[in-house]
Every structure is written in C-alpha cells, then in structure tokens.
Amino acid sequence: CVHNTTFFFFFPFLSSLSFSSFLSSFVPKMLPLHTSSRIRTDSWVPEYIRRIFYYPQMDLEYTFWQMFALCVDPYRVYRTIHYTTKQTKNQWARDDPAFVAILMVFMGFASFAYAVTFKSESFVHMVRIIFSTIFIDFILVGCAVATVGWFIANRFLRVTNAHHVEQKVEWLYAFDIHCNSFFPVFLVIYVFQFFLLPLLLTTSFLSTILSTSLFFAALSYYFYITYIGYTALPFLEKTG
C-alpha cells in the first residue's frame, strides 16, 4: 500500500486508470511511436522502449558525442537537438533510447564496482544494489522529476501565440533533460568519487570538505543543465 500511495502521489493522473488502459492510451502520448520496417509495429509497447532491446537501431556514436559535449559545452547539445530532432522529426525529445541504455549500463558497472569494493554480503545483495541504483535512483526519481518539470512548464511557463502552431513540452523531453543533467552527476558521484575513496574514507577534515564539494558540484551542474534544457525551448518564458 505504501508503494502504491507513493507512486500515485507522483503520478496522480494514473489513479483512475487501469494498467492496461494506461499502456494503451497514455504511454503512446508520452513516448515517440514512429514506425520502423525492422521492428514489429503491432505491439502495445512504444517503439522507444522496444528500441532499447534492438542494438542496430541505436546511434551510439552520436550518443557518446552528446555525453562528451554535456561535460564541456551543454549549450551545444541543445542547439544540436533543435536541428536534428525538431527540424527533421517535429519533436523535441530524442526518439533514440541509446543515451538511456548506455547510462544504465555505466551505472550497472559502477554499482558493481562499489558492491565489490565494500564487500557486498551476497550475490542477491549485490543485485539489489545494482537494481536500486538503476531503477530507483535513476529511472524512478527521474520520472518523478521529469513529471514535475513537464507539468510546471506546460501549466505555468508555456506561451501561446495565435499566429504560431501551439507547442507543448513533451514528457519524454523533460525526461531527456533529467538524463542529460544526470550524466555529469554520474561521472562525479559514481566514477570520480570511486577513485577518491582511499582519501574520502579517512576521518580527516580534508575528506569532509572534498566529499561535500563533490556533491555540491554535481548537484549544481545538474540544476545548470536542467535550466539550459528548459530555456532552449522558444515557447517557454520566465525560465530564467
């Protein structure tokens, strides 16, 4: 009951829907459903999710470029999205799940490394750590953050113009913003911090300052890239 109450707190619009009706009616509205000749189109699963399990459909080179650019020039990533997705596919969100899939793999390896380093009690405990890191810390929290941002942007920040086609923030674009913002956090908290463990696990004042600085830098960059993601949309105002 607690888990159901928490879920519907973040997603109140699902409380009156059955799981099957949600999949058939709401999910297709949030996720891109472009058809592909090499993937079955008669399934209720959105193509975005199906492509996660179909490696040839992913553009890995472009995804790795985005990950690198997010660390050095995040503005460039969103400028590229404007030309590669909005101009060519008439949507702001990525239709390629490669970014999410690769980040999940990275987080799985990082969680495994931490579990081994801290001598996990058992294999089941190790799997539990990996599962909670990927599907709770990244996916579930990301869905909650994306839903809040999606709702606020469409409800309070969107500008309507009678002379232009009405546009709305796509839920998947809000989730893309979370993924983009989370990648530098992953590098700092999961990767860089791992190599600093010998120093951070000491009881010195330096380790306290350093660990606090790492989390502060990671969260600051998360909010910074989130800010860039919403300000990149020309139909939103008061995002600054």
Side-chain angles (χ1 to χ4, degrees), residues 11 17 24 36 39 41 47 53 59-60 68 96 98 157 171 195 213 238:
F11 304 96
L17 297 175
S24 61
S36 172
I39 301 181
T41 59
E47 183 183 344
F53 305 99
D59 189 348
L60 300 183
F68 172 77
D96 184 0
L157 305 178
W171 184 91
F195 293 102
S213 300
K238 299 178 181 179

Side-chain angles (χ1 to χ4, degrees), residues 6 9 21 31 55 71 74 77 81-82 124 130 134 145 157 168 187 193-194 224 233:
T6 304
F9 173 77
S21 62
L31 303 181
Y55 170 80
C71 299
V77 173
I81 289 175
H82 176 77
V124 175
I130 297 174
I134 296 175
V145 172
L157 305 178
K168 293 184 178 181
L187 292 180
Q193 180 179 245
F194 178 81
Y224 173 64
L233 299 177

Side-chain angles (χ1 to χ4, degrees), residues 152-153 155-159 227 230-240:
I152 293 176
R155 187 73 170 81
F156 302 106
L157 305 178
R158 189 165 58 91
V159 178
Y227 163 78
Y230 285 103
T231 56
L233 299 177
F235 54 90
L236 296 183
E237 65 176 4
K238 299 178 181 179
T239 54

Side-chain angles (χ1 to χ4, degrees), residues 140-152:
L140 184 60
V141 173
C143 287
V145 172
T147 301
V148 172
W150 167 71
F151 174 78
I152 293 176

Side-chain angles (χ1 to χ4, degrees), residues 62 65-66 69-70 73-95 99 170 172-177 179-180 225 228-230 232-234:
Y62 177 61
W65 174 85
Q66 284 186 315
L70 284 170
D73 187 9
Y75 276 103
R76 188 177 179 184
V77 173
Y78 289 102
R79 287 196 301 267
T80 305
I81 289 175
H82 176 77
Y83 292 106
T84 58
T85 59
K86 182 58 180 176
Q87 297 296 331
T88 60
K89 302 177 182 178
N90 195 32
Q91 67 180 44
W92 291 98
R94 301 186 189 99
D95 62 348
F99 194 101
E170 305 152 7
L172 190 57
Y173 179 79
F175 186 72
D176 282 344
I177 293 177
C179 294
N180 293 341
I225 296 182
I228 295 175
Y230 285 103
L233 299 177

Side-chain angles (χ1 to χ4, degrees), residues 24-146:
S24 61
S25 61
F26 186 74
V27 173
K29 296 178 182 179
M30 298 197 308
L31 303 181
L33 289 173
H34 304 298
T35 59
S36 172
S37 59
R38 300 190 63 182
I39 301 181
R40 290 180 57 192
T41 59
D42 57 347
S43 173
W44 53 264
V45 181
E47 183 183 344
Y48 182 88
I49 297 178
R50 280 183 277 128
R51 289 180 65 179
I52 293 180
F53 305 99
Y54 195 72
Y55 170 80
Q57 290 287 323
M58 296 184 185
D59 189 348
L60 300 183
E61 182 178 354
Y62 177 61
T63 299
F64 285 121
W65 174 85
Q66 284 186 315
M67 290 180 170
F68 172 77
L70 284 170
C71 299
V72 297
D73 187 9
Y75 276 103
R76 188 177 179 184
V77 173
Y78 289 102
R79 287 196 301 267
T80 305
I81 289 175
H82 176 77
Y83 292 106
T84 58
T85 59
K86 182 58 180 176
Q87 297 296 331
T88 60
K89 302 177 182 178
N90 195 32
Q91 67 180 44
W92 291 98
R94 301 186 189 99
D95 62 348
D96 184 0
F99 194 101
V100 176
I102 292 174
L103 187 51
M104 290 174 64
V105 172
F106 285 168
M107 293 187 68
F109 279 113
S111 302
F112 175 78
Y114 274 96
V116 172
T117 300
F118 289 98
K119 299 179 180 179
S120 180
E121 300 173 358
S122 64
F123 176 77
V124 175
H125 184 254
M126 182 182 299
V127 172
R128 187 184 305 168
I129 292 175
I130 297 174
F131 179 86
S132 63
T133 300
I134 296 175
F135 293 100
I136 296 180
D137 297 349
F138 175 49
I139 300 296
L140 184 60
V141 173
C143 287
V145 172

